[in-house]
Amino acid sequence: MKLKTLLAQPPFHDIKLAAGERGVLNDITNVTMMDAPDILPYLKPNDLLVTTGYHVKDEPDELVRLIGQMAQKNCAALFIKTKRFFGQLPSEAVLLADDLGFPIVEIPENWSLGETVNQMLNIILDKRTSELRGAIDTHKLFSGHIMSGKGLNVLLANLTELTGHSAFLCTAYFSPIAGDDSLAEVLSPFKKWASQHGSFLSPSSTFTAFSTLSPKKDYTLFPVYTHEKKAALLLLEGPIYPTEHVKLLTIEQALNVISFELLKEDAVKQFTRRIRNEFFSNFLDDAFSSEEEAVSRAKEFDLPLKQKYICAAGRIDAPEEEWSYYTNQKELDEIYYFFEKELHTMDVPCHLFTKGETLILLLKVPDHVKDTHSFTASFLKKLQARMSREHKMTMSFGVSHLCSSLLFVRQGYKEARDALKTNRLSSGPSSVHFHRTKDVSELLRLLPAKDLTQFYKHTVQQLKLGNLEEEKSLLNTLFVYMESHCHISETAKRLFVHRNTVVYRLEKCEELLGTSLKDPDFSLQIRLALRIKHLLNT
């Protein structure tokens, strides 16, 4: 309790300060009554001392020393019965008390010290009881809102009404959750500052107050602790002081209820996430009885059939051999929640799923977007930058081609997964790999070498290419000719020979093979065989 508050209550409201008026806002945490000469070692900060001054009645200098040392110890005040032994306070004591701002109050002669102390304690306890009763009522009010399903917005509106401060709830990364929409607009500079300098929260305090320069406004920040590593943040507009006990009790009750509500919402989200992941996994594995059932189920998750999609598959850039499966899943869950909150602040409609150790982003591509490559790359780079800045982790993505409808998402997922798998190990962190259609050589590399060798030998026998193998120049000329789309001049340029030499060799090939090189079926077979021969030799 403040000394000023105590002096405003009966029977102390008729007593005037004898000295040290500047200290009327001192806090009182304990009331002590003592007349022993060695009183000083027993005094603590914010103690209020009630005494007759008997032990210093013959030594006014000792009273002056007592006042000085009580002020040094940050004691609250000195209540002294001056008429009993002093008659009046020594002028030196009054001057020192005024100079130090240490309050001295003269107790009436007809008051007993025991009665004075009891009156003080009763006033302090009544006030404390009133504060606690108010805190309980506030807790009931906030809990009632949550239990009735009114949600965080109603709770924050009531908190604003009770405290007089606009309230807003955001994540540890300053992404909005609930509250006064006008405060959401001020989060951008806070987010930028936090990304460069770290957390706003002071580790040694239950709340943090700060001011902005442009515009000049004060804010107070309270952490809301849940199971997550980083606490959510309750932002209140305006300064809140440690001496505002009733207001702080109200906010404390709100923080407790908000914490439980966030835990409840998180439990619901986990259940919803599990259901969504089960659906998407079944969809990708084609586990539904028919396409009609798959499309019908997809509508429940806001995935329309006639919609353009791009599928991106992401995995954490981490040394997997150093991470256990549990650690990897835990980190993936945290990134999932981070992305989920970040996506609310972005303009691109996107669905989140997980499958094993892969995070899947299914982007809905607006009709007006023409360059899907740039559109997707820009979106993913923003997410990666935010993740690296806020979460101190990186993730690489593989990206599919544009899926013209929902049914093509299965193939899109395979493309995204293959793009990530093919390029992830050979690239640095936070990379984005787009799937590209493989050329003939890349497709052939996917086949076992044994099968390729068998196919080549069979083709050699069927097309009588063995005759050409004896003359390496003929076989090489035939290969370059086919790869040059049957252009003689281009073939001569690549082989660094005269055009007539190419014509002679090709005529020799036709003579040995007994067929025209311009026959389409022959051309296809020989080009495949020569490609395979080239792959087998490399």
Side-chain angles (χ1 to χ4, degrees), residues 149-166:
K150 293 181 179 179
L152 288 171
N153 282 316
V154 175
L155 188 151
L156 293 173
N158 276 276
L159 179 62
T160 297
E161 185 179 346
L162 290 170
T163 61
H165 298 268
S166 295

Side-chain angles (χ1 to χ4, degrees), residues 133-152:
R133 188 180 296 112
I136 292 172
D137 292 340
T138 303
H139 184 79
K140 287 181 179 178
L141 173 67
F142 291 154
S143 299
H145 282 302
I146 297 300
M147 295 301 291
S148 60
K150 293 181 179 179
L152 288 171

Side-chain angles (χ1 to χ4, degrees), residues 7 29 59 136 159 178 216 221 274 305 363 375 449 498 504:
L7 294 177
T29 57
E59 299 178 78
I136 292 172
L159 179 62
K216 291 185 177 180
L221 208 58
R274 181 174 63 82
L305 173 64
L363 286 73
F375 167 79
H498 194 273
Y504 169 78

Side-chain angles (χ1 to χ4, degrees), residues 289-442:
S289 59
S290 65
E291 296 290 5
E292 289 76 12
E293 182 188 0
V295 171
S296 176
R297 296 283 179 87
K299 288 181 180 177
E300 298 178 28
F301 299 96
D302 191 28
L303 292 171
L305 173 64
K306 295 181 179 180
Q307 167 70 48
K308 295 178 182 177
Y309 297 96
I310 287 180
C311 185
R315 296 193 72 174
I316 300 170
D317 295 319
E320 296 180 3
E321 65 275 5
E322 297 179 10
W323 276 14
S324 65
Y325 179 79
Y326 173 81
T327 302
N328 193 74
Q329 288 297 319
K330 185 178 179 182
E331 296 295 340
L332 187 65
D333 284 348
E334 290 194 11
I335 293 172
Y336 180 95
Y337 290 126
F338 172 73
F339 278 4
E340 190 176 45
K341 292 165 183 174
E342 287 297 308
L343 289 174
H344 287 297
T345 67
M346 304 177 77
D347 297 330
V348 181
C350 182
H351 293 269
L352 268 178
F353 303 96
T354 56
K355 185 175 174 63
E357 297 181 2
T358 305
L359 183 75
I360 304 168
L361 296 170
L362 195 59
L363 286 73
K364 291 182 177 179
V365 182
D367 293 331
H368 68 272
V369 174
K370 302 301 180 185
D371 189 351
T372 56
H373 189 287
S374 298
F375 167 79
T376 308
S378 174
F379 174 79
L380 292 177
K381 288 295 182 184
K382 286 180 183 177
L383 271 181
Q384 287 175 325
R386 294 184 186 185
M387 175 182 169
S388 176
R389 181 183 63 208
E390 308 288 356
H391 213 68
K392 309 305 179 188
M393 271 190 184
T394 59
M395 175 174 276
S396 294
F397 287 96
V399 184
S400 72
H401 285 116
L402 180 67
C403 305
S404 57
S405 76
L406 180 66
L407 296 180
F408 288 97
V409 168
R410 294 191 187 101
Q411 180 60 32
Y413 168 69
K414 292 177 182 177
E415 291 177 355
R417 183 190 59 191
D418 291 345
L420 177 64
K421 184 178 180 180
T422 303
N423 299 288
R424 180 167 172 254
L425 295 178
S426 60
S427 303
S430 284
S431 53
V432 177
H433 311 288
F434 286 85
H435 181 269
R436 61 188 181 90
T437 303
K438 294 179 172 62
D439 61 19
V440 174
S441 295
E442 288 178 298

Side-chain angles (χ1 to χ4, degrees), residues 463-465 468 478 509-515 517 522 526:
L463 299 180
K464 304 176 183 179
L465 292 180
L468 297 182
L478 183 60
C509 288
E510 286 185 332
E511 180 183 342
L512 291 173
L513 296 174
T515 185
L517 299 181
F522 173 80
I526 198 171

